[in-house]
Amino acid sequence: MDTIKLVINHVYDFVSEKEILQQADKATAANKALHDGSRAGNDFLGWVNLPSSCTENSIRDIEDAATALRTRCDVVVVVGIGGSYLGARAVIDALSSSFDWLQHERKDPVILYAGNNIGEDYLYELTKYLEKREFGIINISKSGTTTEPAIAFRILKDLLIGKVGKEESCKRIVAITDASKGALRTLANTEGYTTFVIPDDIGGRYSVLTPVGLLPIAVAGIDIRKLLQGAKDMEEATGASTSYEINLPAIYAAIRNELYKKGKKIEILANYNPKLHYFAEWWKQLYGESEGKEGKGIFPAAVDFTTDLHSMGQWIQEGERTIFETVLSVKEPKENVKIPHDEANLDGLNFLKGKRVDEVNKMAELGTLIAHMDGGVPNILIEIPKLSEYYIGQLIYFFEKACGISGYMLDVNPFNQPGVEAYKKNMFALLEKPGYEEATKAIKARI
Ligand code: PA5
């Protein structure tokens, strides 16, 4: 079986092979620490052996729940924020037809998202759309107390009960949350929803291969077994005893840390396939929340090329030289679209006649790589043979592993996110949430 590939020779104009190799021991030690649990955050390492430890029963339970929702619903709304929706959306967008949801005769339910913002218009428009549809809800929150999904769920649950009644609505709602703690657990137990548990030792942004990601992905008609197989093969290829030279996540982590040391403070994840937009959103959260702390961390940014070459291209080519680029390059598209011959050739495009659209895309990619390197931007390339469950599974585990290694190399705990609490505390104080009286007084004195 083929594998994703890491092309690293385009960084050597900026950091030497020798300098990167000096990071190898640190990267290998960090990888080992993820396996032996000897460093900070060791109570959140459940994702490390997750692909190889998924049982047949646990997979079948997810598939059965997916089938039940698929049978009853034309639309399924995934309610969740951050790690509780980005992984599912990344995989579903990467592997589904971009226009399927517009088709009247679909074989898979439409997957929509809510609870990932507090947009009133968004929720209004969503409820208007859902009023006329047979819909169900997958409500995901590890803590079971997050405000954004809680608001969306209350509104959508109300709509669903009003539409199909309490008994049927219970059959169309699945809750994914902690085994015992949190408001969502209490609600789910009281109402009798089907539930799945997010393991204690897996944080939100590492949870895509738990029911958090797998259930919505299975509802969308995507083969979760192949996804897990790809992740499992990557897990096996990156174990504690894998030597640095063949350990792709360790190599990626070593390079990005060396570039960071040299002042490259921003990593731009670029893709040349619009289906990967949400994969980059998932990656941004994974790296941003894992590394950005204690006044340190590479800032993870993302662009969709060639779209953003017409917006961010100028900055990347000639702006402050503090960036490096990691490119997700899909080798082979699924479909085949050729540019037709046009007798009149009024658009002057006949030099492209007979070529596949992807051939043009690949030349844009190569031309951009050379231009950006000439402009002082180091380039790491990740080659993905094709967009399939198997390779997306590999890619997910590759980035998770590299993130853990990178965080340890940076000397931070990659598995906490203390900074996320700051806005919540202020928001609750401003909303006068019970228990926040002191904070309310303090914040009101400042505004
Ligand atoms: O990675 C994380 O832990 C966070 O991004 C969470 O996923 C996010 O804040 C949502 O939290 P919860 O699942 O508890 O609602």
Side-chain angles (χ1 to χ4, degrees), residues 54-67:
C54 269
T55 62
E56 175 59 28
N57 279 349
S58 66
I59 298 172
R60 208 168 307 132
D61 282 350
I62 293 170
E63 287 170 340
D64 289 349
T67 305

Side-chain angles (χ1 to χ4, degrees), residues 176-196:
I176 307 179
T177 187
D178 185 85
S180 57
K181 294 190 296 285
L184 179 55
R185 169 53 62 188
T186 312
L187 184 64
N189 288 350
T190 310
E191 301 289 355
Y193 303 147
T194 299
T195 63
F196 287 90

Side-chain angles (χ1 to χ4, degrees), residues 310-436:
H310 297 259
S311 58
M312 295 303 290
Q314 172 61 36
W315 200 103
I316 296 170
Q317 190 68 43
E318 295 181 353
E320 195 182 30
R321 301 298 73 187
T322 46
I323 56 173
F324 67 99
E325 219 166 34
T326 298
V327 173
L328 297 177
S329 177
V330 182
K331 209 166 159 201
E332 187 62 30
K334 269 208 298 227
E335 309 299 342
N336 185 329
V337 179
K338 288 203 171 104
I339 298 164
H341 172 73
D342 184 313
E343 205 50 52
N345 195 27
L346 295 177
D347 52 14
L349 272 188
N350 272 354
F351 74 105
L352 296 176
K353 70 169 191 277
K355 284 194 195 299
R356 287 179 68 174
V357 171
D358 191 59
E359 212 176 321
V360 181
N361 202 25
K362 288 288 184 300
M363 291 309 109
E365 185 181 322
L366 188 55
T368 307
L369 167 76
I370 295 165
H372 287 181
M373 282 185 57
D374 288 348
V377 183
N379 182 289
I380 303 168
L381 196 123
I382 298 170
E383 195 182 271
I384 306 153
K386 61 180 184 194
L387 287 187
S388 69
E389 286 93 338
Y390 180 76
Y391 293 118
I392 292 291
Q394 283 194 2
L395 202 59
I396 286 170
Y397 192 85
F398 163 82
F399 275 127
E400 287 182 347
K401 196 63 175 307
C403 188
I405 296 173
S406 254
Y408 280 163
M409 291 181 77
L410 192 66
D411 218 7
V412 296
N413 175 355
F415 307 111
N416 64 6
Q417 56 285 329
V420 180
E421 296 311 309
Y423 98 91
K424 290 185 194 167
K425 190 175 154 232
N426 290 344
M427 176 177 78
F428 292 145
L430 290 164
L431 289 168
E432 301 183 20
K433 183 174 175 175
Y436 283 77

Side-chain angles (χ1 to χ4, degrees), residues 80-84 140-146 149 198 203-207 285 289 417 420 424:
I81 195 165
S84 288
I140 309 173
S141 175
K142 182 170 182 190
S143 62
T145 58
T146 307
I198 308 176
R205 59 190 174 276
Y206 291 86
S207 68
Q285 189 217 354
E289 275 193 356
Q417 56 285 329
V420 180
K424 290 185 194 167

Side-chain angles (χ1 to χ4, degrees), residues 157-361:
K157 183 181 65 141
D158 226 41
L159 177 69
L160 188 59
I161 293 174
K163 203 174 136 61
V164 300
K166 199 151 174 154
E167 201 183 322
E168 173 66 14
S169 77
C170 285
K171 296 184 181 141
R172 296 193 192 184
I173 296 175
V174 177
I176 307 179
T177 187
D178 185 85
S180 57
K181 294 190 296 285
L184 179 55
R185 169 53 62 188
T186 312
L187 184 64
N189 288 350
T190 310
E191 301 289 355
Y193 303 147
T194 299
T195 63
F196 287 90
V197 170
I198 308 176
D200 274 349
D201 58 356
I202 301 181
R205 59 190 174 276
Y206 291 86
S207 68
V208 52
L209 301 175
T210 72
V212 169
L214 295 180
L215 180 63
I217 292 166
V219 172
I222 293 164
D223 188 337
I224 57 172
R225 289 171 189 266
K226 289 186 185 153
L227 188 80
L228 284 166
Q229 187 61 48
K232 185 167 173 255
D233 287 353
M234 187 54 76
E235 179 193 325
E236 276 161 14
T238 61
S241 57
T242 306
S243 66
Y244 171 81
E245 296 72 28
I246 53 165
N247 194 337
L248 300 188
I251 296 170
Y252 174 57
I255 294 172
R256 58 198 298 286
N257 273 275
E258 189 55 33
L259 288 167
Y260 181 60
K261 258 176 57 191
K262 292 264 158 56
K264 303 294 183 190
K265 308 273 186 201
I266 301 165
E267 177 174 11
I268 302 178
L269 189 73
N271 72 73
Y272 285 81
N273 187 323
K275 286 176 180 295
L276 290 173
H277 176 83
Y278 265 93
F279 197 89
E281 293 301 306
W282 169 81
W283 171 89
K284 264 163 50 181
Q285 189 217 354
L286 181 63
Y287 280 76
E289 275 193 356
S290 300
E291 293 191 306
K293 50 198 71 158
E294 299 174 31
K296 297 188 272 192
I298 295 169
F299 182 83
V303 286
D304 299 322
F305 285 163
T306 61
T307 312
D308 291 334
L309 285 171
H310 297 259
S311 58
M312 295 303 290
Q314 172 61 36
W315 200 103
I316 296 170
Q317 190 68 43
E318 295 181 353
E320 195 182 30
R321 301 298 73 187
T322 46
I323 56 173
F324 67 99
E325 219 166 34
T326 298
V327 173
L328 297 177
S329 177
V330 182
K331 209 166 159 201
E332 187 62 30
K334 269 208 298 227
E335 309 299 342
N336 185 329
V337 179
K338 288 203 171 104
I339 298 164
H341 172 73
D342 184 313
E343 205 50 52
N345 195 27
L346 295 177
D347 52 14
L349 272 188
N350 272 354
F351 74 105
L352 296 176
K353 70 169 191 277
K355 284 194 195 299
R356 287 179 68 174
V357 171
D358 191 59
E359 212 176 321
V360 181
N361 202 25

